Amino acid sequence: MRQHSPTTAYVGKAAKWLSPGLAIKRWMVISLIGLFLIGFGLTILIQPSPIFLTLQQLFRGLAWVARILPSYLSGSLVILLGTILVWWGQTRTLGSITEVLIPDHKNELVDKLIAHRRLNRGPKVVALGGGTGLSTLLRGLKTYSANITAVVTVADNGGSSGRLRKELGGIPPGDIRNCLAALADQEKLITELFQYRFDAGDGLAGHSFGNLFLSAMNQVTESWEQAIAASSEVLAVRGQVLPATLSDVNLWAELEDGRRIEGESEISSAGGKIRKIGCLPECPPALPRVIEAINEAELIVFGPGSLYTSVIPNLLVPEIVEAIAARNVPKIYICNIMSQPGETDGYSVSDHIKAIYRATGCKLFNTVLVQKIPPSPSVLVRYAHKYSFPIPIDRQELIRMGCRVILANVMDENTKLKYVRHSSPRLGRVIIRWYEKKAGIPPSDR
């Protein structure tokens, strides 16, 4: 690898301050004009006579220099000296600021400023879902935009979330916790902290720290909306995380064998094919900020995640469906890679889309993102033991439905533990490039 000299590296870092869009150059010019005006004002204060004498001596000195050196050389040297002094003063000032704002020097201040400007110019994205799928998507999108709104399902009634929901009331914090951690500036540390589960203690065992943190914040702020907003500020979240509704929502499902199952966790474990899904109370009101985010969105993304217990629950809020249907912006559904036992056994890609259309009563999107390359045989064998299989791509049926298919490699495969997951970087890259193409924006080089 080619090594750069310290001088070259310094010049490269310094040149970043002249990057377009940073709003630095204009302020440097204004500063120089200000210095000139200060100097001019001082000369007025000390009366014309000293000014004349000072200028006379100055011009004599310049004439002496010009006799020794050609004017083009002496003038250039004076300009260069002045530029160096101004640049040195500016960089020393910025260096002092950097020491306060970034004491560990892991990143240059200019790099942070460039990233901040770039992310703030990113598209306004609304992502709907829940579970680990949505948090995986958010990790990929946050490298392209800080204008992200994650709309999270609040139907979870199992595990730590379910226990807190029963004991304290309100909405389950689990999916909100995952999304806040995914969008946090210090994601790795926050994720480890929020995912930490107590394995001992009377009443603590099984609870995650993140769930307890959000529940405590709710008690302090007296509303879940304020609790999530305050948590976002504490964690330096890029974008915002919003529950689809603040109502105490419970899912129910009718199976083809006639059973009616209530509760999100019970639906997944009931076994059987889902014929219809709904929630109690019916038609819960949407959080107003969710509708505002949808009305301002430039890109709307559904999934990935469990079809009936993560994606569709958000769409059981009629106001959300109406707002999405009214927007003429790029909308895309990310299909799961493998089928989910108890929810999507035997489903093709078109079956996923038909299930969403049945639940909402309208066509919300016309593009679906599907994994292109299937997992390795050894991984498929492991999943087959759990009755989970790759989701077939029935292209002809999708074309008949007027749905465009995007085939891309958006999968990470762990060959050691033999499981597959969506890849955050690949998901983010594919979706943003697709959006830029649809919106007629020149492809980004990020």
Side-chain angles (χ1 to χ4, degrees):
M1 182 181 295
R2 183 180 176 182
Q3 298 292 327
H4 296 287
S5 67
T7 303
T8 304
Y10 177 80
V11 171
K13 291 178 182 178
K16 289 182 180 180
W17 288 102
L18 302 178
S19 299
L22 286 185
I24 294 294
K25 298 185 293 295
R26 70 192 71 169
W27 304 121
M28 292 181 68
V29 171
I30 290 174
S31 297
L32 292 174
I33 294 173
L35 289 173
F36 172 78
L37 291 176
I38 290 171
F40 187 67
L42 288 173
T43 58
I44 294 175
L45 286 175
I46 62 176
Q47 300 301 323
S49 180
I51 294 175
F52 176 76
L53 294 175
T54 302
L55 292 176
Q56 190 178 50
Q57 294 299 324
L58 176 63
F59 283 121
R60 285 176 180 175
L62 292 175
W64 178 77
V65 172
R67 284 197 300 271
I68 300 174
L69 295 174
S71 59
Y72 68 87
L73 183 58
S74 57
S76 300
L77 288 174
V78 172
I79 292 173
L80 178 62
L81 178 61
T83 303
I84 290 174
L85 290 175
V86 171
W87 188 266
W88 183 44
Q90 291 284 325
T91 53
R92 292 293 295 179
T93 301
L94 292 170
S96 300
I97 297 172
T98 302
E99 287 182 4
V100 175
L101 298 180
I102 316 175
D104 55 7
H105 295 287
K106 288 183 178 179
N107 298 100
E108 291 288 331
L109 180 61
V110 63
D111 292 328
K112 279 188 170 289
L113 187 56
I114 290 172
H116 176 77
R117 292 280 182 177
R118 175 177 60 81
L119 292 173
N120 281 347
R121 291 196 302 266
K124 295 179 180 178
V125 184
V126 170
L128 302 98
T132 58
L134 181 57
S135 57
T136 298
L137 171 66
L138 297 177
R139 288 187 184 93
L141 290 177
K142 77 173 185 179
T143 61
Y144 297 91
S145 177
N147 304 311
I148 301 172
T149 298
V151 180
V152 185
T153 176
V154 292
D156 188 6
N157 71 333
S160 171
S161 290
R163 288 169 56 192
L164 290 170
R165 186 178 180 184
K166 291 175 183 176
E167 295 169 8
L168 302 177
I171 61 177
D175 287 345
I176 295 171
R177 173 201 77 209
N178 288 334
C179 292
L180 285 174
L183 289 175
D185 192 37
Q186 299 293 331
E187 178 202 327
K188 188 176 185 298
L189 178 61
I190 295 300
T191 299
E192 290 178 1
L193 178 63
F194 268 35
Q195 299 288 30
Y196 175 80
R197 290 188 182 274
F198 297 91
D199 54 10
D202 186 17
L204 277 178
H207 280 304
S208 70
F209 173 80
N211 286 354
L212 296 176
F213 175 87
L214 288 171
S215 298
M217 189 69 81
N218 176 47
Q219 299 293 321
V220 171
T221 60
E222 298 182 352
S223 93
W224 272 105
E225 187 174 0
Q226 292 180 36
I228 297 168
S231 301
S232 298
E233 291 183 13
V234 171
L235 303 175
V237 164
R238 295 181 192 171
Q240 60 180 344
V241 179
L242 301 174
T245 177
L246 293 178
S247 298
D248 186 11
V249 172
N250 283 291
L251 288 182
W252 58 263
E254 291 181 2
L255 307 185
E256 284 194 344
D257 59 13
R259 287 181 294 160
R260 179 186 171 98
I261 309 297
E262 293 190 5
E264 183 261 356
S265 58
E266 287 78 8
I267 292 172
S268 299
S269 59
K273 194 168 184 179
I274 297 172
R275 181 174 61 188
K276 188 178 181 181
I277 192 163
C279 69
L280 295 173
E282 292 186 15
C283 303
L287 189 70
R289 287 175 61 196
V290 171
I291 304 304
E292 291 175 10
I294 294 172
N295 290 337
E296 296 174 358
E298 298 169 309
L299 168 64
I300 300 176
V301 185
F302 305 82
S306 301
L307 177 63
Y308 287 104
T309 54
S310 289
V311 178
I312 289 180
N314 290 301
L315 304 176
L316 297 177
V317 181
E319 292 172 285
I320 290 180
V321 174
E322 291 170 7
I324 294 173
R327 296 306 316 280
N328 184 25
V329 296
K331 307 170 193 173
I332 187 169
Y333 171 62
I334 304 171
C335 192
N336 289 342
I337 300 171
M338 307 294 293
S339 64
Q340 186 171 358
E343 285 199 36
T344 55
D345 298 288
Y347 272 40
S348 64
V349 174
S350 69
D351 289 328
H352 283 71
I353 298 173
K354 290 174 183 175
I356 294 174
Y357 291 172
R358 281 196 305 269
T360 60
C362 62
K363 185 176 180 180
L364 294 180
F365 51 84
N366 60 6
T367 305
V368 58
L369 174 60
V370 183
Q371 168 60 23
K372 182 178 183 180
I373 304 170
S376 63
S378 61
V379 171
L380 291 177
V381 168
R382 177 185 177 276
Y383 274 91
H385 286 308
K386 296 184 178 182
Y387 303 100
S388 179
F389 305 93
I391 297 172
I393 306 170
D394 48 347
R395 187 184 290 271
Q396 292 303 316
E397 180 63 15
L398 290 166
I399 293 174
R400 188 192 68 78
M401 294 171 61
C403 195
R404 182 191 173 193
V405 181
I406 297 177
L407 291 173
N409 182 23
V410 291
M411 178 183 73
D412 270 341
E413 181 175 313
N414 189 315
T415 55
K416 184 178 180 180
L417 299 178
K418 300 195 182 304
Y419 69 80
V420 294
R421 296 286 187 272
H422 276 103
S423 164
S424 295
R426 292 174 182 172
L427 267 183
R429 183 169 58 251
V430 169
I431 290 173
I432 292 299
R433 286 183 177 175
W434 170 78
Y435 161 75
E436 290 173 339
K437 184 177 180 180
K438 290 280 290 185
I441 300 172
S444 63
D445 56 0
R446 293 168 290 190

